[in-house]
Amino acid sequence: QKEVEQNSGPLSVPEGAIASLNCTYSDRVSQSFFWYRQYSGKSPELIMSIYSNGDKEDGRFTAQLNKASQYVSLLIRDSQPSDSATYLCAGWAIKAAGNKLTFGGGTRVLVKP
Amino acid sequence: SQTIHQWPATLVQPVGSPLSLECTVEGTSNPNLYWYRQAAGRGLQLLFYSVGIGQISSEVPQNLSASRPQDRQFILSSKKLLLSDSGFYLCAWKSSYEQYFGPGTRLTVT
């Protein structure tokens, strides 16, 4: 099992809908997680961090962490065409003493007007 | 506030030529620093990371090397570039719990 796994997509959602992205992780990843957004040709931008079980909301974004099931999700409400990007899930690798961030392969999101 | 700089932004180099990419961080001290490469349409590959001056951990054996001559400076080098070295090179730094990326250098080896 990979340390962090994501569905590569593309996830196509109509404008105004909710985009739901999922990420699963192994026991080799610590339970602090991050979502990055990467536009084509640009560097990844940190958009959400979640450290404890439950939900964390920031604007139109909600991150959810379920430690028992080992998954993290990101909800994008009222999706806009500007949300079209690749979203990367990441967590700190335990074996590297928290010094190395392990990334999933990314989920491409397409928001259609 | 913290800022991370990378240069150059784009680079076109012939096969067999040397490479030097530089990354500097402002507004923090003794950060963990990272070099990643992202090939076209692919995921992020960690190349090197550093927890302090002169301390380099290599993740992938290849013809690249890294150095950290100063606390907030991280350099990626190669003596002879290969076609497979083309990609988007990203420097990143770690705060207490979070990691932030620089703007990147797009390298094309011809």
Side-chain angles (χ1 to χ4, degrees):
Chain A
Q1 180 190 7
K2 291 183 179 179
E3 292 177 330
V4 178
E5 294 197 74
Q6 298 179 252
N7 187 316
S8 62
L11 175 66
S12 183
V13 298
E15 184 175 356
I18 296 174
S20 178
L21 291 75
N22 295 312
C23 170
T24 58
Y25 61 92
S26 74
D27 292 337
R28 302 190 296 277
V29 181
S30 68
Q31 296 180 346
S32 298
F33 291 93
F34 310 91
W35 284 98
Y36 290 81
R37 176 177 62 199
Q38 186 176 24
Y39 291 116
S40 180
K42 301 296 185 182
S43 65
E45 174 193 9
L46 180 63
I47 57 172
M48 288 289 283
S49 306
I50 186 163
Y51 304 108
S52 57
N53 238 6
D55 296 0
K56 179 182 177 183
E57 185 175 318
D58 184 1
R60 294 186 297 110
F61 298 103
T62 299
Q64 299 172 319
L65 174 58
N66 185 321
K67 295 182 180 181
S69 300
Q70 294 184 287
Y71 82 78
V72 189
S73 62
L74 179 70
L75 300 177
I76 308 174
R77 291 183 301 281
D78 188 23
S79 295
Q80 301 297 309
S82 59
D83 295 324
S84 297
T86 297
Y87 291 79
L88 303 167
C89 173
W92 293 109
I94 293 172
K95 65 181 179 181
N99 286 321
K100 186 173 75 169
L101 203 56
T102 298
F103 287 86
T107 298
R108 192 158 66 98
V109 173
L110 298 174
V111 181
K112 297 186 175 182
Chain B
S1 64
Q2 298 82 11
T3 309
I4 181 167
H5 302 279
Q6 286 187 248
W7 62 90
T10 59
L11 192 58
V12 180
Q13 293 282 95
V15 168
S17 64
L19 174 73
S20 181
L21 302 181
E22 188 165 343
C23 169
T24 59
V25 182
E26 296 178 357
T28 186
S29 59
N30 197 32
N32 282 14
L33 295 174
Y34 304 83
W35 278 113
Y36 290 84
R37 177 172 61 201
Q38 191 173 39
R42 305 295 295 274
L44 291 167
Q45 180 185 33
L46 179 63
L47 302 175
F48 301 95
Y49 70 93
S50 171
V51 299
I53 295 174
Q55 301 179 65
I56 308 294
S57 296
S58 175
E59 290 293 306
V60 183
Q62 55 203 333
N63 68 322
L64 299 173
S65 62
S67 62
R68 186 168 176 176
Q70 300 181 43
D71 181 41
R72 288 172 285 179
Q73 183 184 33
F74 204 20
I75 296 172
L76 183 69
S77 303
S78 174
K79 292 182 179 179
K80 289 186 178 181
L81 284 168
L82 307 173
L83 284 175
S84 58
D85 290 324
S86 292
F88 193 33
Y89 287 81
L90 293 156
C91 181
W93 72 278
K94 180 190 174 189
S95 70
S96 298
Y97 299 106
E98 299 173 339
Q99 182 173 294
Y100 299 92
F101 287 89
T105 294
R106 189 161 305 281
L107 172 66
T108 303
V109 182
T110 60

